[in-house]
Amino acid sequence: MKHFSVFLSIIFVFYFLFTTTPSVHGRKFHSGCKKHHKGYGHSCNSTTIFNIMSFGAKASGVSDDSKKLVNTWKAACKVSEGVLQIPLGHTFMIKPITLQGPCMGHLIFQIDGTLLAPPKIGSWSKSNRYQWINFKWVHNLTIQGSGTIDGQGYNWWTPIKSKHISNIKPTAMRFYASEDINVRDITIKNSPQVHLKFDDSRGVKVDNITILAPENTPNTDGIHLQNTRDVEILHSNIGTGDDCVSIQTGCSNVHIHHINCGPGHGISIGGLGKDKSIACVSDILIENSIIENTLYGARIKTWQGGVGVVKNVTFSNIQVEDVNFPIVINQYYCDKTLCRNQTDSIAIKGVKFDRIVGTYSTQPIHLTCSDNVPCTDIDLSYIQLKPSRGPLRGSQLQQSLCLNSYGTSSGPLVPYSINYCLRKGGDESTLQISGSSNELC
Ligand SMILES: *[C@@H]1O[C@H](CO)[C@@H](O)[C@H](O)[C@H]1NC(C)=O
Ligand SMILES: *[C@@H]1O[C@H](CO)[C@@H](O)[C@H](O)[C@H]1NC(C)=O
Ligand SMILES: *[C@@H]1O[C@H](CO)[C@@H](O)[C@H](O)[C@H]1NC(C)=O
Ligand SMILES: *[C@@H]1O[C@H](CO)[C@@H](O)[C@H](O)[C@H]1NC(C)=O
Ligand SMILES: *[C@@H]1O[C@H](CO)[C@@H](O)[C@H](O)[C@H]1NC(C)=O
């Protein structure tokens, strides 16, 4: 009891201090702009800093600072130029939270310290294991700083034995139905599953970030895009156990460049069309990047039975080093042992692989398109792929394969057999493509 009252007086002193100190957590805003619009003046344009420490965060790295972060967010969200600060040299343990918008104006989330996810699976509520830090309906946000978002995924990576726990594993940072989002400079690591996900969003720029997870971790994609358009991802280093960037259905106008990818599964579009679903992906440009020590390089994968189309995709000037399968289109994607072939398949057309140069360790080109819906307008130009010198990871070198793939190849091509890989022609009217469903997109 005695301890409790001491605790209360400490809280009181802190409360008193912070509500009378005119420097941090919004005082500047209140004194400067209170006159306008009942305290939330649109005309107030000065930056106001909201430091999580001023909202009572313990920063012990163990005690739960989630509510403090949510409160700091709410305060910063109410001003037109708020800066939410996670200070350098401090670590905050944060449980799954939703940071909701829209906010008053441009918000800067300045992360210089570390945000830690709860390490034990048991500390996640059973009903919310979809994501850790969830941004929802946010417009015009910049996340920046030298700090780290650490998903502490170790306990999730080993197969979950209990039947009572579902297979759902959290994404570290998710943006849902958000717009004009800029993520730069930070490090995101060791997510239980996907590291950074955007869905139903528009206007995304990811610049100069680092994403890291051990090579052998399951489904730890770097960046996952779904139903998201107008995206630029640049100057970033991504190395995880799965795709560096994964582009799912509903994405268009995506530009990825100057990425270092690896280890992991390369940069992929798909898997699309699972369970006979519709998928539409278009206008994707991936260029000037390095993919090193990965299972795949530039890849498109679709399930049998899906409908829709993938079109206008360019992979250009990609340096690959020690990649098992640098160039892949797989219309028979299946993560089970056997999937039946179907009549329908997502159409794939207008895909260019240009200046893919470096070393491979299994098969330089692997294009397996479906019988009913072949891939058309495929362009292979200036492909220079030599076997890597490293150990062959238990597999033999294989010849290039282009099944049901139509298009043209040009420029010097190494190995020379690539010249004969694609089939000439491929005019859709003459191919009598069935089961394709362009008009759905
Ligand atoms: C802030 O407001 C003042 C006065 O309304 C204006 O002169 C100034 O240009 C504004 N600054 C910014 C960065 O918008
Ligand atoms: C973001 O907010 C700032 C400040 O309120 C504004 O000037 C800018 O136009 C906004 N940007 C977008 C893309 O909405
Ligand atoms: C990239 O991010 C790092 C780490 O936060 C930072 O030190 C560096 O200045 C950033 N580079 C650029 C060009 O912004
Ligand atoms: C193909 O996509 C690129 C962006 O990656 C875009 O600039 C170009 O206009 C698109 N081409 C067509 C024919 O739509
Ligand atoms: C599906 O079709 C492809 C191409 O004809 C064939 O190679 C493959 O063996 C078939 N798969 C199954 C499971 O029937």
Side-chain angles (χ1 to χ4, degrees):
M1 218 46 195
K2 198 175 163 194
H3 285 82
F4 186 65
S5 50
V6 169
F7 178 66
L8 273 186
S9 11
I10 291 171
I11 296 277
F12 182 77
V13 168
F14 267 74
Y15 181 77
F16 181 75
L17 274 177
F18 290 129
T19 47
T20 51
T21 310
S23 54
V24 283
H25 103 300
R27 294 296 297 172
K28 191 170 129 212
F29 163 69
H30 287 297
S31 53
C33 309
K34 208 167 185 171
K35 293 167 207 115
H36 315 287
H37 304 290
K38 294 180 182 170
Y40 300 116
H42 290 87
S43 59
C44 177
N45 67 355
S46 58
T47 299
T48 314
I49 293 172
F50 298 84
N51 189 324
I52 190 172
M53 298 304 277
S54 315
F55 285 76
K58 294 257 180 5
S60 67
V62 181
S63 67
D64 181 3
D65 283 327
S66 322
K67 287 205 174 71
K68 316 300 183 331
L69 178 54
V70 171
N71 291 341
T72 316
W73 168 272
K74 283 181 178 163
C77 193
K78 279 179 187 149
V79 304
S80 62
E81 280 288 326
V83 179
L84 193 175
Q85 263 185 346
I86 305 296
L88 184 70
H90 294 279
T91 299
F92 304 86
M93 202 281 276
I94 305 294
K95 289 196 168 171
I97 52 167
T98 294
L99 302 176
Q100 194 170 307
C103 295
M104 199 67 175
H106 182 221
L107 178 58
I108 294 177
F109 196 152
Q110 180 76 31
I111 304 176
D112 293 313
T114 300
L115 300 181
L116 280 186
K120 288 192 193 125
I121 293 178
S123 28
W124 292 72
S125 89
K126 288 202 174 92
S127 58
N128 182 11
R129 293 209 169 134
Y130 292 96
Q131 62 263 322
W132 172 32
I133 303 176
N134 184 31
F135 294 88
K136 183 175 167 186
W137 303 331
V138 176
H139 295 179
N140 206 350
L141 168 72
T142 300
I143 295 184
Q144 60 183 29
S146 56
T148 301
I149 310 281
D150 184 346
Q152 305 214 87
Y154 325 98
N155 291 316
W156 298 89
W157 295 334
T158 47
I160 297 171
K161 290 175 200 98
S162 167
K163 275 182 189 160
H164 304 292
I165 298 175
S166 75
N167 269 331
I168 296 162
K169 298 177 186 183
T171 289
M173 197 180 233
R174 175 195 184 195
F175 288 86
Y176 171 69
S178 294
E179 242 175 74
D180 298 311
I181 305 299
N182 204 328
V183 180
R184 50 177 304 140
D185 307 342
I186 60 166
T187 296
I188 309 175
K189 66 177 190 184
N190 296 336
S191 176
Q193 204 216 46
V194 174
H195 284 76
L196 176 60
K197 174 172 173 172
F198 295 89
D199 56 316
D200 294 278
S201 293
R202 181 168 190 168
V204 170
K205 185 170 178 183
V206 176
D207 184 4
N208 185 41
I209 73 163
T210 303
I211 297 182
L212 292 171
E215 183 173 3
N216 57 356
T217 54
N219 306 115
T220 50
D221 288 359
I223 302 174
H224 196 94
L225 303 173
Q226 190 166 333
N227 292 318
T228 293
R229 54 181 302 168
D230 307 331
V231 178
E232 186 180 13
I233 300 171
L234 68 158
H235 292 295
S236 293
N237 295 311
I238 306 174
T240 68
D242 207 312
D243 297 339
C244 292
V245 182
S246 160
I247 299 169
Q248 300 293 324
T249 185
C251 292
S252 67
N253 191 24
V254 175
H255 186 194
I256 298 172
H257 60 106
H258 298 96
I259 299 297
N260 286 310
C261 164
H265 294 179
I267 297 178
S268 5
I269 297 174
L272 302 170
K274 192 177 185 181
D275 301 325
K276 306 192 173 186
S277 59
I278 302 179
C280 307
V281 173
S282 63
D283 305 335
I284 310 292
L285 174 59
I286 296 155
E287 61 178 347
N288 305 330
S289 291
I290 299 172
I291 302 181
E292 190 168 0
N293 181 29
T294 58
L295 184 50
Y296 305 102
R299 179 164 65 141
I300 301 175
K301 50 179 176 173
T302 66
W303 295 73
Q304 284 284 299
V307 288
V309 64
V310 175
K311 65 179 178 191
N312 187 20
V313 175
T314 300
F315 293 94
S316 175
N317 193 23
I318 311 282
Q319 188 189 328
V320 292
E321 293 303 336
D322 200 13
V323 173
N324 290 57
F325 302 89
I327 297 176
V328 176
I329 297 178
N330 181 3
Q331 281 196 318
Y332 299 94
Y333 183 69
C334 174
D335 65 3
K336 292 167 269 187
T337 33
L338 187 69
C339 296
R340 284 173 53 202
N341 284 344
Q342 315 269 342
T343 318
D344 282 333
S345 193
I346 290 162
I348 296 179
K349 54 185 180 184
V351 180
K352 185 167 185 162
F353 297 97
D354 163 53
R355 282 172 293 153
I356 314 290
V357 174
T359 61
Y360 69 95
S361 48
T362 305
Q363 189 177 35
I365 296 185
H366 181 97
L367 309 183
T368 47
C369 296
S370 67
D371 300 323
N372 293 324
V373 189
C375 300
T376 57
D377 195 12
I378 306 297
D379 192 332
L380 295 170
S381 63
Y382 200 82
I383 311 294
Q384 305 276 304
L385 294 169
K386 300 193 171 117
S388 58
R389 286 201 206 104
L392 292 179
R393 294 180 187 176
S395 58
Q396 301 286 319
L397 289 186
Q398 292 165 20
Q399 293 279 317
S400 290
L401 172 67
C402 299
L403 180 68
N404 300 314
S405 306
Y406 292 81
T408 53
S409 24
S410 59
L413 297 166
V414 177
Y416 191 74
S417 58
I418 298 174
N419 283 290
Y420 309 108
C421 201
L422 294 172
R423 288 209 236 165
K424 300 262 182 310
D427 183 354
E428 282 180 50
S429 55
T430 57
L431 284 174
Q432 294 178 320
I433 291 176
S434 62
S436 128
S437 24
N438 276 313
E439 63 277 7
L440 290 170
C441 292

